[in-house]
């Protein structure tokens, strides 16, 4: 049997070493990998709605922002962002976003309702009444939540002179993914 030369052994060892390195991925650090090329992500609106259902309002707001990058500032995106801000108690931002969402003809009754809830929370009862009447009309009177919110706005606008104790008798309750209701605290 003939013994291999040291040069041949070194070449063979180098080839085996390099072949072993081919299967390893380069280390990109501690961060998650980016999106896979050619793969589309899940719709940001759908993710936002699911996060709202789960009570994760900050994450929902981020998902709606990502949807805005993909789809633009559509009425649905604006309504989602406004609803997330309402849930977070950011009434000024919620009002601005919801007002932009209802500018188009494709605004849903839930968007009008949420704007009405914001206005009631801010103490703007006459305008809240008008907005909630519109929401109720667009919904053909089928939503109990919108009707209850309209009743509350009517009661508050008729009795706008009430004390601080009266303000504490109501709270905003989330119903569904993007609808809010004002309930009396028992």
């Amino acid at each position: 049997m003939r013994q291999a030369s040291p040069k041949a052994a070194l070449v063979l060892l180098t080839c085996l070493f390099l072949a072993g390195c081919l299967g390893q991925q380069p280390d990109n650090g501690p961060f998650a990998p980016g999106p896979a090329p050619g793969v589309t992500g899940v719709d940001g609106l759908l993710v936002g709605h699911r996060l709202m259902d789960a009570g994760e309002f900050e994450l929902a707001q981020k998902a709606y922002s990502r949807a805005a990058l993909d789809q633009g500032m559509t009425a649905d995106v604006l309504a989602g962002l406004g609803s997330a801000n309402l849930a977070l108690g950011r009434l000024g931002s919620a009002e601005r976003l919801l007002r932009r969402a209802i500018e188009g003809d494709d605004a849903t009754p839930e968007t009008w309702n949420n704007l009405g809830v914001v206005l009631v929370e801010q103490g703007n009862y006459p305008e809240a009444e008008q907005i909630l009447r519109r929401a109720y009309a667009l919904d053909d009177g089928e939503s109990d939540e919108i009707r209850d919110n309209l009743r509350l706005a009517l009661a508050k606008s008729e009795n706008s002179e009430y004390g601080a104790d009266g303000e504490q008798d109501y709270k905003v309750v989330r119903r569904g993914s993007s609808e809010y209701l004002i309930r009396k605290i028992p």
Side-chain angles (χ1 to χ4, degrees):
M1 212 166 175
R2 187 169 173 221
Q3 196 169 6
S5 71
K7 252 184 176 180
L10 182 62
V11 169
L12 179 63
L13 191 59
T14 304
C15 288
L16 289 174
F17 175 74
L18 291 175
C21 292
L22 291 177
Q24 293 180 355
Q25 296 292 330
D27 185 23
N28 291 333
F31 303 107
V39 177
T40 59
V42 179
D43 180 28
L45 279 175
L46 177 65
V47 172
H49 294 328
R50 289 182 180 170
L51 287 168
M52 289 289 286
D53 288 339
E56 297 290 339
F57 308 121
E58 287 283 346
L59 293 174
Q61 185 178 26
K62 291 179 183 180
Y64 290 132
S65 297
R66 282 192 303 275
L69 291 174
D70 294 337
Q71 302 171 15
M73 292 300 271
T74 64
D76 290 336
V77 171
L78 289 166
L81 285 168
S83 297
N85 278 297
L86 172 60
L88 292 167
R90 300 173 184 157
L91 299 179
S93 297
E95 180 185 358
R96 282 189 302 279
L97 290 164
L98 291 169
R99 283 191 188 278
R100 285 181 57 195
I102 64 170
E103 286 176 357
D105 293 333
D106 56 344
T108 64
E110 292 82 13
T111 306
W112 285 89
N113 175 64
N114 291 348
L115 178 58
V117 169
V118 169
L119 294 171
V120 167
E121 285 292 307
Q122 293 175 334
N124 189 350
Y125 305 120
E127 186 179 6
E129 177 187 336
Q130 292 174 357
I131 296 292
L132 289 167
R133 281 184 192 273
R134 177 92 182 248
Y136 195 64
L138 287 172
D139 193 46
D140 293 328
E142 293 181 14
S143 173
D144 294 336
E145 290 84 12
I146 295 174
R147 183 190 66 232
D148 292 342
N149 289 340
L150 177 58
R151 284 182 182 166
L152 178 64
L154 286 168
K156 294 275 189 170
S157 65
E158 290 172 2
N159 185 18
S160 61
E161 297 293 325
Y162 60 91
D165 294 335
E167 287 185 30
Q168 301 302 320
D169 292 342
Y170 298 95
K171 68 177 182 175
V172 175
V173 178
R174 195 166 147 267
R175 306 281 292 199
S177 64
S178 64
E179 195 166 321
Y180 292 87
L181 176 65
I182 302 172
R183 290 269 186 204
K184 187 168 179 95
I185 298 173

